[in-house]
Amino acid sequence: MAEVYQQMPVLPDSSPQTKYICKLGKRLADVIPQEYSWPFEFHVIPQKDINAFALPGGPMFVNVGAIVAADNEAELAGVMAHEM
């Protein structure tokens, strides 16, 4: 499975967008009961489309367009929580 998403065009972990999504994702994952949680990984795709998706096992991807389109952090958190 790792080979599939490693070939996707994602921003580096050091990018401000990825750092923000990882921080928000961690806050969301921390409230999920352990028995229902996955080892989540968060990635940002440099696309203007408004989209987010998750793959089995924990990888989650958020497009830059979804980050920009969100009116506030709660909207973005809602999208990410839905994927989780």
Side-chain angles (χ1 to χ4, degrees):
M1 169 107 41
E3 300 85 29
V4 172
Y5 70 87
Q6 285 179 347
Q7 302 210 3
M8 297 181 74
V10 296
L11 294 178
D13 291 345
S14 60
S15 76
Q17 299 92 336
T18 302
K19 287 181 179 182
Y20 174 69
I21 289 299
C22 287
K23 183 178 176 182
L24 181 56
K26 182 179 178 343
R27 286 173 40 210
L28 292 169
D30 285 348
V31 298
I32 300 172
Q34 190 62 36
E35 64 268 21
Y36 302 115
S37 190
W38 294 95
F40 290 103
E41 300 173 15
F42 302 97
H43 308 278
V44 178
I45 299 175
Q47 295 291 320
K48 293 181 182 180
D49 300 331
I50 299 171
N51 195 20
F53 61 94
L55 298 177
M60 179 186 296
F61 300 85
V62 179
N63 284 11
V64 168
I67 298 169
V68 172
D71 288 333
N72 53 53
E73 187 173 76
E75 284 185 0
L76 188 55
V79 169
M80 292 177 67
H82 169 78
E83 295 302 329
M84 294 172 95

